[in-house]
């Protein structure tokens, strides 16, 4: 098992191969788009998109706009874009791709929306190692403590490329 690819399902780490909806090539394709979106704010390279997994269709995109509003993280931007464009969407069918592990605020928004899967590149511990300000609560813990929703968390997709974004931003 590639140790950079792991899934948390109900608080338990599971090998990606054991999770039936994992298609690494598809995940990498959409993570590449999240990396492109992160380029809209190289200082804070948090890019995110929501994908209808059944149709492999991007339904919304976002990036960090916290200079305008401190809560406007990439994930929040994508969720707001989706809500505005698709008011009747079935959120449980969506996968959120994001360049970094969602912070507790963003993972809570994922829970309230009912998004079924989160896929990220860089982890909160990695961001902390670069001295990024991060609340030290992992997305998996928020998901586990949300008994009214189910959300699988898959981390480490294109991790080296995502880590490079945050290293470069820290050098600015």
């Amino acid at each position: 098992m590639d140790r950079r690819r792991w899934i948390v399902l109900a608080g338990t780490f599971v090998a990606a191969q054991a999770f039936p909806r994992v298609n690494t090539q598809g995940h990498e394709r959409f993570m590449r788009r999240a990396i492109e979106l992160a380029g809209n704010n190289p200082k804070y390279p948090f890019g995110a998109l929501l994908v209808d997994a059944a149709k492999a269709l991007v339904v919304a995109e976002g990036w960090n706009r916290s200079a305008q509003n401190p809560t406007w993280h990439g994930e929040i931007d994508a969720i707001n874009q989706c809500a505005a464009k698709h008011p009747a969407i079935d959120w449980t069918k969506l996968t959120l791709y994001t360049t970094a592990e969602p912070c507790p605020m963003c993972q809570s928004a994922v829970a309230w929306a009912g998004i079924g899967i989160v896929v990220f590149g860089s982890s909160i511990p990695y961001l902390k190692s670069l001295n990024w300000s991060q609340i030290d609560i992992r997305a998996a813990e928020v998901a586990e403590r949300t008994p009214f929703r189910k959300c699988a968390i898959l981390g480490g997709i294109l991790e080296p490329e995502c880590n490079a974004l945050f290293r470069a931003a820290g050098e600015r």
Side-chain angles (χ1 to χ4, degrees):
M1 176 178 88
D2 181 346
R3 291 177 187 251
R4 288 175 295 180
R5 291 194 182 116
W6 48 269
I7 293 176
V8 177
L9 187 58
T12 304
F13 289 90
V14 180
Q17 297 85 343
F19 191 61
R21 290 176 68 184
V22 170
N23 171 344
T24 302
Q25 286 182 329
H27 287 319
E28 289 178 358
R29 180 178 125 215
F30 292 120
M31 186 60 73
R32 288 189 200 295
R33 179 62 186 151
I35 291 168
E36 288 175 22
L37 292 167
N40 286 305
N41 188 347
K43 186 176 177 183
Y44 297 100
F46 298 88
L49 60 145
L50 284 163
V51 174
D52 179 323
K55 299 175 185 170
L57 176 70
V58 175
V59 295
E61 299 180 331
W63 55 87
N64 186 288
R65 301 169 195 255
S66 61
Q68 297 164 327
N69 176 330
T71 66
W72 209 349
H73 293 188
E75 300 92 336
I76 300 296
D77 188 24
I79 290 169
N80 285 330
Q81 295 292 331
C82 186
K85 293 176 188 173
H86 309 283
I89 200 158
D90 181 354
W91 293 86
T92 65
K93 305 286 190 230
L94 301 182
T95 300
L96 174 72
Y97 291 87
T98 180
T99 53
E101 182 175 359
C103 72
M105 176 186 71
C106 291
Q107 187 61 40
S108 294
V110 164
W112 287 115
I115 297 165
I117 302 174
V118 170
V119 178
F120 67 86
S122 297
S123 69
I124 287 174
Y126 180 76
L127 296 177
K128 286 178 55 186
S129 78
L130 296 177
N131 295 315
W132 282 80
S133 297
Q134 291 292 307
I135 297 171
D136 197 11
I137 301 173
R138 304 290 303 269
E141 182 177 352
V142 175
E144 183 179 346
R145 292 174 175 254
T146 308
F148 55 90
R149 297 274 200 246
K150 298 280 187 236
C151 182
I153 312 287
L154 172 60
I157 299 296
L158 297 184
E159 184 177 24
E161 292 92 330
C162 292
N163 288 352
L165 291 172
F166 294 99
R167 269 195 318 275
E171 295 169 359
R172 292 189 193 320

